[in-house]
């Protein structure tokens, strides 16, 4: 089924630029069933992305950037496309993902603390050996 979109939408190149993704990734999202709806087409058959498409792509990008597996993103998209009546399932999926993100964030924060501690040790050593704050900041000897 081909959906004709208004001509004022964005081409795939413009949508890629706006979203920070590649045209290849946008086509993959469409082909793999990750989009909220079928992307419209111009009369010449070119993809035409709407603001709604871009908002959905931003959400997909956030889910992927926080580690949600493609199969879960696809399941989430399927539930959203199905419409109302499955909000509890959507909520459960997002809450489970949020819990995983918080765990990862906690681990990364702990690692960052260890890195900050090591930076502090080297900074103290360099200050004790006569390096100036500017030299330490700029990382030159």
């Amino acid at each position: 089924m081909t959906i004709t979109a208004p001509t004022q939408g964005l081409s795939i190149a413009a949508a890629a630029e706006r979203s920070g993704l590649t045209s290849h990734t946008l086509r993959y999202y469409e082909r793999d069933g990750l989009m909220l709806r079928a992307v419209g087409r111009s009369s010449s058959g070119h993809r035409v992305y709407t603001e709604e498409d871009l908002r959905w792509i931003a959400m997909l990008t956030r889910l992927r950037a926080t580690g949600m597996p493609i199969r879960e993103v696809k399941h989430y998209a399927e539930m959203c496309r199905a419409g109302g009546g499955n909000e509890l399932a959507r909520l459960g999926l997002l809450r489970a993902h949020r819990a995983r993100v918080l765990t990862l964030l906690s681990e990364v924060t702990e690692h960052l603390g260890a890195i900050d501690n090591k930076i502090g040790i080297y900074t103290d050593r360099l200050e004790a050996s006569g390096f100036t704050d500017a030299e330490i900041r700029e990382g030159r000897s």
Side-chain angles (χ1 to χ4, degrees):
M1 166 173 83
T2 301
I3 295 178
T4 304
T7 55
Q8 68 268 21
L10 297 172
S11 69
I12 192 167
E17 185 175 326
R18 284 263 309 268
S19 67
L21 301 173
T22 65
S23 297
H24 174 78
T25 299
L26 293 176
R27 285 194 282 290
Y28 167 76
Y29 282 0
E30 185 179 353
R31 186 177 59 249
D32 209 43
L34 302 178
M35 294 299 292
L36 186 57
R37 63 170 187 82
V39 174
R41 300 289 177 145
S42 67
S43 58
S44 61
H46 292 99
R47 288 171 175 85
V48 179
Y49 290 85
T50 65
E51 289 300 319
E52 181 184 358
D53 293 329
L54 293 177
R55 283 190 297 274
W56 180 254
I57 290 165
M59 183 63 182
L60 293 178
T61 302
R62 287 184 178 105
L63 293 174
R64 290 295 296 137
T66 54
M68 183 180 277
I70 287 289
R71 72 182 178 284
E72 284 187 27
V73 174
K74 188 173 185 175
H75 183 57
Y76 179 65
E78 289 167 352
M79 288 191 290
C80 290
R81 280 193 303 271
N86 61 18
E87 289 83 2
L88 280 174
R90 289 187 226 177
L91 182 61
L93 185 143
L94 291 175
R95 281 184 171 164
H97 180 62
R98 182 179 190 278
R100 290 190 305 268
V101 170
L102 287 173
T103 297
L104 180 60
L105 183 58
S106 174
E107 292 169 0
V108 169
T109 300
E110 185 177 334
H111 298 324
L112 181 59
I115 292 167
D116 286 343
N117 183 52
K118 191 57 82 171
I119 288 170
I121 290 169
Y122 290 129
T123 300
D124 291 347
R125 284 184 188 171
L126 291 169
E127 286 173 348
S129 60
F131 281 83
T132 67
D133 287 340
E135 290 171 324
I136 294 170
R137 250 190 333 274
E138 294 171 15
R140 53 186 176 113
S141 53

